[in-house]
Amino acid sequence: MEGTTKKEASPELIVHELSGVVPAHYVMPPQDRPSAGAGAAPIPVIDLGRLSGPNPDAQEAAKLRSALETWGFFMVSNHGIETSVMDAMMNVSREFFRKPAEEKQKYTSLINGERFRVQGYRNELVKSDGQTHNWSHRLSLQIEPEDGRSLHLWPNHPETFRDVLIEYSSKTKAIRDLILRAMANLLKLDENYFTNRFTSKALALARLGYYPSCPRPDLVLGFKPHCDGGALSILFIEEHTRGLQVLKDGKWYDVLCEPYTLLINIAECMEIMSNGIFKSPTHRVLTNAVKERFSVVIFYGVDEETMIEPAPGLLDEKRLAKYRKVKSNDYYASVFGQFRQGKTIKDTLKV
């Protein structure tokens, strides 16, 4: 997962030094520039407490299924993560990004200033000349498998950073498993069909995001349109901030989150394994002229040796496979290349 890239100036510095002028390499082509959304997406809030246990609430399960089949996004409440833990996670993230640039660069994802690795801090990932930059900063850290953690890239300050991230991610993992079991039940598969594809070797990646204020939000995107790779993503957005949009039927809709809820995003592998019943949504992040934005997302993927394919229990002579099978490590090897071209892996695997 390494390639050639170039160093770039921090968007924070661009804003202050150029007083409203956005460099050309951040400006989206006219056809891809942000536009007003078509209103708020009716993303439901699912009470996870009502989905757990031997007798899940039928109404809550129906809400979940509707969200999975239409938007691919849903919020969860009663998820078991204390507000104090969520506050601590957002606080250590905010504290890291507000450090001086030279301090953050100690954890750079660049190797010798030219190649990048998945883990570490970066302003933007640029693979070739002419690629439009995202107006964002990111710190990516592997959570699992534990032996793949690059701990020298985990910030030492604030001192609580490591403990907070480990505690927070251990709780999101429990949420992941609860949701995966609920999804299997909705499809009338064995309850552990999906969780069996997430052993201790499955990838979990934390990505802390920072989107500085931008003087020209009409020209620039915080993050370009994409579908998440892997199986599912658990997103925590700072209170009272907007910017996330989801694409449906050719229109962009705003995704609005309630305080202390988590936003669940179905990723490509789950769409493939559900044979297209559950949708992996295309989404993007806008910028804001006056307000910065922070987010914490945990990306969950299946084991690298897992065969990603429609669940056999969903197939028969009338229900044919809509996707070809692919080995997980081959899938992940293609994700970044496809993303740079504005494509999704799931589309290349359609039968």
Side-chain angles (χ1 to χ4, degrees):
M1 296 185 180
E2 296 179 348
T4 302
T5 186
K6 294 182 179 180
K7 292 183 179 179
E8 65 180 284
S10 164
E12 298 160 300
L13 299 179
I14 292 171
V15 173
H16 295 303
E17 292 177 359
L18 301 184
S19 301
V21 178
V22 175
H25 53 272
Y26 285 97
V27 177
M28 300 295 296
Q31 69 275 14
D32 297 327
R33 290 175 186 171
S35 57
I43 305 297
V45 179
I46 307 297
D47 186 329
L48 284 189
R50 295 183 179 180
L51 285 180
S52 58
N55 298 304
D57 182 272
Q59 183 177 0
E60 215 67 18
K63 285 168 56 180
L64 174 61
R65 178 156 197 146
S66 176
L68 291 168
E69 293 181 352
T70 54
W71 295 98
F73 273 119
F74 58 94
M75 287 176 280
V76 294
S77 63
N78 195 15
H79 44 62
I81 304 183
E82 300 87 348
T83 57
S84 60
V85 174
M86 298 179 77
D87 286 340
M89 185 68 251
M90 189 59 69
N91 287 339
V92 296
S93 175
R94 188 185 297 110
E95 188 171 339
F96 170 77
F97 285 117
R98 286 180 172 165
K99 288 185 177 300
E102 59 271 18
E103 179 67 22
K104 290 181 288 191
Q105 285 300 328
K106 294 178 181 178
Y107 307 100
T108 181
S109 61
L110 289 176
I111 303 173
N112 298 325
E114 296 181 350
R115 293 184 302 156
F116 79 92
R117 53 196 160 203
V118 171
Q119 297 190 68
Y121 165 76
R122 61 178 180 267
N123 293 344
E124 173 54 286
L125 168 60
V126 182
K127 294 292 294 182
S128 61
D129 292 337
Q131 182 180 355
T132 306
H133 294 215
N134 293 315
W135 192 272
S136 60
H137 297 212
R138 300 187 291 284
L139 175 65
S140 300
L141 302 169
Q142 182 170 315
I143 305 298
E144 293 182 351
E146 289 188 26
D147 59 7
R149 293 176 180 173
S150 295
L151 293 177
H152 65 287
L153 297 174
W154 290 47
N156 293 321
H157 299 283
E159 295 179 354
T160 57
F161 184 97
R162 184 177 301 186
D163 291 340
V164 168
L165 179 55
I166 290 174
E167 180 181 10
Y168 177 80
S169 61
S170 70
K171 293 178 181 293
T172 61
K173 183 177 180 180
I175 295 171
R176 177 202 71 179
D177 290 346
L178 194 159
I179 292 171
L180 290 174
R181 292 189 182 99
M183 293 170 71
N185 287 331
L186 289 173
L187 296 173
K188 298 188 178 347
L189 300 171
D190 178 272
E191 184 178 61
N192 293 314
Y193 178 80
F194 294 127
T195 57
N196 286 341
R197 280 137 187 84
F198 293 80
T199 70
S200 60
K201 296 181 180 180
L203 179 68
L205 184 75
R207 178 172 294 165
L208 283 56
Y210 170 51
Y211 301 85
S213 58
C214 175
R216 292 299 306 270
D218 57 321
L219 301 178
V220 176
L221 283 173
F223 211 98
K224 294 188 285 290
H226 64 286
C227 286
D228 284 358
L232 59 82
S233 310
I234 299 180
L235 177 65
F236 173 34
I237 303 174
E238 187 180 33
E239 253 187 277
H240 309 304
T241 58
R242 307 175 71 165
L244 181 64
Q245 289 190 326
V246 60
L247 182 67
K248 189 174 188 299
D249 300 328
K251 297 180 180 180
W252 288 102
Y253 293 83
D254 296 321
V255 179
L256 308 180
C257 292
E258 297 184 8
Y260 295 109
T261 60
L262 295 170
L263 184 66
I264 311 300
N265 176 15
I266 301 306
E268 288 188 326
C269 292
M270 287 306 303
E271 179 168 333
I272 294 170
M273 290 191 286
S274 71
N275 202 32
I277 296 174
F278 300 153
K279 308 303 182 186
S280 175
T282 298
H283 52 289
R284 68 183 183 183
V285 180
L286 306 184
T287 57
N288 189 293
V290 296
K291 189 173 180 59
E292 60 188 3
R293 179 180 184 272
F294 294 89
S295 64
V296 177
V297 59
I298 310 292
F299 298 102
Y300 286 105
V302 297
D303 287 11
E304 64 177 16
E305 296 299 319
T306 292
M307 190 63 69
I308 303 170
E309 60 183 328
L314 300 176
L315 306 178
D316 54 37
E317 61 240 10
K318 295 183 179 179
R319 300 180 300 173
L320 303 180
K322 296 181 180 180
Y323 300 92
R324 296 188 299 274
K325 63 177 65 175
V326 61
K327 200 171 183 180
S328 179
N329 53 7
D330 293 330
Y331 167 85
Y332 286 115
S334 303
V335 165
F336 294 109
Q338 294 293 325
F339 176 76
R340 292 195 304 273
Q341 299 174 44
K343 300 178 181 179
T344 62
I345 304 296
K346 64 180 182 180
D347 289 338
T348 66
L349 295 173
K350 284 183 177 178
V351 174

